[in-house]
């Protein structure tokens, strides 16, 4: 197949903060990009729009000023998208030399590109716990999506557990909408907290202030906060009934609850980047594999990546990165006259600052990998195929040659299920590293395979036949 | 809070006023819904699960709520798969918790 001409419109995957900022930069330059997004409404995850069913709840949820700002931003975004070839409800399930595979309204389509920007964001990094497959346990990001998109609380008595700046934010949002029976179990060690505070004071004092005021708000509302908690198990027969943990003083406690939200920071969504040809590197501080990108987000001759899918840095950093990537793409498209080099320099500086802040914070919010080594062998590690920790530990000595995660996956099926390793991959790496006594960087990363989202059999067959 | 008494058997608690504008069904069980609701919001305020894992038979009820885990997969009666968290309700939607054909 021949590629499209060099002046074909640029293609953006993802209408979150990075994708929308990039679209805005293209529109300013008089170019109308194709914007593909899986959701029915733009906005991404962290900055997801509120369901129209909750239109009267925006003020209590975000505050009067912030909800006005949100409205203005959404109007701006709608205007930008009206000038793009914006395709909502479109799943991108594969990328093959110079083309994307789309699924929309049940039909598959092949889209050739000359310049591609992936802004696919991040999902929660998850560590398993005994009982985490029970109905009522959701990812932390999912608990926020439950509010904003599904207009619902995930339960009546909720435990928010793990570590993440989002932990307190999610709990506060539930609180503002009227839920009172909330407990926050923060697994960050106290020493880590201090480091984080120092890092934040240095790079983002505003974020530190926001964090402190969130905690004060939660305390005033009677929310219980336990620091340096060790998570032990979710209990229940057919759904969540209780949560067991150990507090900072080593005392075990059992909380009655009917829902749990867990999250241990964010991991980048990189399947498409891999299929589109990006190389990867391990970040020893963030402890995840990221696509290798230039300071402007370029990952290949026709490939750019921006936002949390390239480097975790939140919505604001994603906007800088998205805009910078678009400017870099304009240069590559021979439209350099539309780009001001001092703007690019300014964006690069801001991005570097956001990155330093992330690294400072990450030093505190380390994955409690040692938590895994204490979990019983019957704990489910891969929720899709129900592979246990014990099975994975036992498979390590059976793998021949240097053990890496893809071999363990082949033996146990851990990571082969329908979530494609999104929710077991982080823990799988930690477990294999521990069992082999090797560094996390040495045990590799789960390889992506198309389709990265399940597609109808008919579409898959057609594709195999080609 | 506007949670209705009828929702007490479910996992989710709606924050908006529920009303009956249309019906959807899961495994033949009819449930009232309001336009603009997601499928998972309707199902989980009425029920405590979306089916069972084909591997260990235990109840499942979604996990990521944003289209990434596929734990909320359901099938329409003609065999098409949907993710309950990514799909809006439509009147007469008839869903089943296990794939009706070979489609998995
Ligand atoms: S709950 Fe994960 S895809 Fe719907």
């Amino acid at each position: 197949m021949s590629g499209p001409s060099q002046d074909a419109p640029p293609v953006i995957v993802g209408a979150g903060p990075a994708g929308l900022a990039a679209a805005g930069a293209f529109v300013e330059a008089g170019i109308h990009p194709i914007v593909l997004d899986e959701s029915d409404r733009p906005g991404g995850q962290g900055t997801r729009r509120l369901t129209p069913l909750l239109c009267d709840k925006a003020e209590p949820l975000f505050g009067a000023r912030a909800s006005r700002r949100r409205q203005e931003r959404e109007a701006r975004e709608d205007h930008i998208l009206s000038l793009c070839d914006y395709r909502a409800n479109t799943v991108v399930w594969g990328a093959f030399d110079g083309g994307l595979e789309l699924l929309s309204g049940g039909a598959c389509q092949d889209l050739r590109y000359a310049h591609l920007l992936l802004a696919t964001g991040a999902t929660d990094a998850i560590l398993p716990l005994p009982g985490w497959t029970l109905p009522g346990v959701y990812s932390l990001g999912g608990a926020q999506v439950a509010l904003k998109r599904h207009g619902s609380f995930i339960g009546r008595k909720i435990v928010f557990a793990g570590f993440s700046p989002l932990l307190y934010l999610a709990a506060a949002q539930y609180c503002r909408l009227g839920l009172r029976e909330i407990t926050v179990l923060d697994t960050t060690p106290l020493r880590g907290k201090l480091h984080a505070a120092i890092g934040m004071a240095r790079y983002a004092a505003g974020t530190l202030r926001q964090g402190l005021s969130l905690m004060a708000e939660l305390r005033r509302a009677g929310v219980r906060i336990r620091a340096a908690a060790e998570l032990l198990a979710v209990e229940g027969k057919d759904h969540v009934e209780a949560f067991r943990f150990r507090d900072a003083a080593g005392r075990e406690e059992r909380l009655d609850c009917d829902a749990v939200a867990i999250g241990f920071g964010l991991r980048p969504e990189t399947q498409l980047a891999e299929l589109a040809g990006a190389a990867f590197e391990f970040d020893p501080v963030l402890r995840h594999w990221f696509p290798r990108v230039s300071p402007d987000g370029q990952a290949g001759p026709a490939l750019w990546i921006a936002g949390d899918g390239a480097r975790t840095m939140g919505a604001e950093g994603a906007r800088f990165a998205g805009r910078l990537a678009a400017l870099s793409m304009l240069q590559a498209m021979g439209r350099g006259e539309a780009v001001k080099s001092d703007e690019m320099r300014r964006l690069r500086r801001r991005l570097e600052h956001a990155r330093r802040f992330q690294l400072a914070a990450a030093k505190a919010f380390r994955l409690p990998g040692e938590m895994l080594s204490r979990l019983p062998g019957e704990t489910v590690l891969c929720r899709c195929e129900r592979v246990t920790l014990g099975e994975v530990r036992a498979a390590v000595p059976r793998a021949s040659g240097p053990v890496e995660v893809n071999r363990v996956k082949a033996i146990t099926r851990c990571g082969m299920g329908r979530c494609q390793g999104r929710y077991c991959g982080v823990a799988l790496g930690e477990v294999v590293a521990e069992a082999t006594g090797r560094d996390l960087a040495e045990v590799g990363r789960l390889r992506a395979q198309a389709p990265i989202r399940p597609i109808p059999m008919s579409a898959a067959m057609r594709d195999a036949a080609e | 809070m506007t949670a209705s008494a009828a929702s007490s058997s479910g996992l989710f608690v709606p924050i908006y006023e529920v009303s009956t504008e249309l019906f959807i069904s899961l495994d033949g069980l009819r449930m009232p819904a309001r336009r603009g609701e997601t499928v998972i919001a309707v199902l989980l305020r009425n029920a405590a699960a979306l089916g069972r894992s084909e591997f260990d038979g235990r109840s499942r009820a979604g996990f990521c709520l944003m289209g990434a885990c596929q734990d909320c997969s359901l099938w329409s009666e003609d065999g098409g798969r949907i993710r309950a968290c990514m799909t809006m309700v439509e009147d007469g939607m008839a869903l089943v918790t296990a794939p009706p054909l070979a489609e998995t």
Side-chain angles (χ1 to χ4, degrees), chain A residues 38 53 137-139 142 145 147 149-154 156 237-238 383-384 386 418 422-423 454 457, chain B residues 7 11-13 15-16 34 38 44 54-56 58-59 61-65 68 70-71 83 85 103:
Chain A
E38 192 176 4
L53 296 173
V137 181
Y138 293 100
S139 71
V145 176
L147 282 190
R149 174 173 167 86
H150 308 300
S152 307
F153 295 141
I154 57 169
R156 293 162 185 77
K237 218 174 131 272
D238 225 18
R383 58 184 293 124
C384 299
R386 303 290 154 124
R418 51 171 78 114
R422 286 184 180 87
Y423 293 106
M457 200 72 95
Chain B
S7 70
L11 293 179
F12 278 19
V13 183
I15 312 166
Y16 50 88
R34 177 177 163 185
T38 58
L44 286 185
E54 66 266 45
F55 290 91
D56 66 2
R58 306 287 301 272
S59 298
F63 180 67
C64 72
L65 303 177
Q70 324 293 330
D71 195 57
R83 287 169 290 172
C85 69
E103 175 95 57

Side-chain angles (χ1 to χ4, degrees), chain A residues 376-399:
Chain A
E378 63 268 20
T379 309
V380 169
L381 175 53
C382 161
R383 58 184 293 124
C384 299
E385 309 256 330
R386 303 290 154 124
V387 183
T388 64
L389 262 177
E391 287 170 74
V392 169
R393 286 175 186 148
V396 169
R398 280 169 50 214

Side-chain angles (χ1 to χ4, degrees), chain B residues 30-89:
Chain B
R30 251 160 66 100
M31 299 173 194
R34 177 177 163 185
R35 253 182 291 283
E37 285 185 289
T38 58
V39 169
I40 201 166
V42 173
L43 298 181
L44 286 185
R45 74 178 145 82
N46 288 289
L50 298 172
R52 293 182 176 279
S53 154
E54 66 266 45
F55 290 91
D56 66 2
R58 306 287 301 272
S59 298
R60 59 180 175 91
F63 180 67
C64 72
L65 303 177
M66 56 175 89
C69 75
Q70 324 293 330
D71 195 57
C72 65
S73 291
L74 295 171
W75 289 264
S76 55
E77 280 167 340
D78 64 14
R81 175 211 283 263
I82 65 146
R83 287 169 290 172
C85 69
M86 295 295 282
T87 310
M88 308 302 284
V89 292

Side-chain angles (χ1 to χ4, degrees), chain A residues 159 183 185 224-227 229-235 242-256:
Chain A
V159 171
T183 306
L185 301 179
R224 303 206 307 165
I225 300 176
R226 294 286 179 275
E230 185 191 347
L231 312 183
L232 298 176
V234 185
E235 296 181 340
F243 196 101
R244 268 196 310 114
F245 73 102
R246 204 170 281 133
D247 69 13
R251 273 185 307 262
E252 209 178 298
E253 224 185 293
R254 187 176 186 276
L255 295 168
D256 283 336

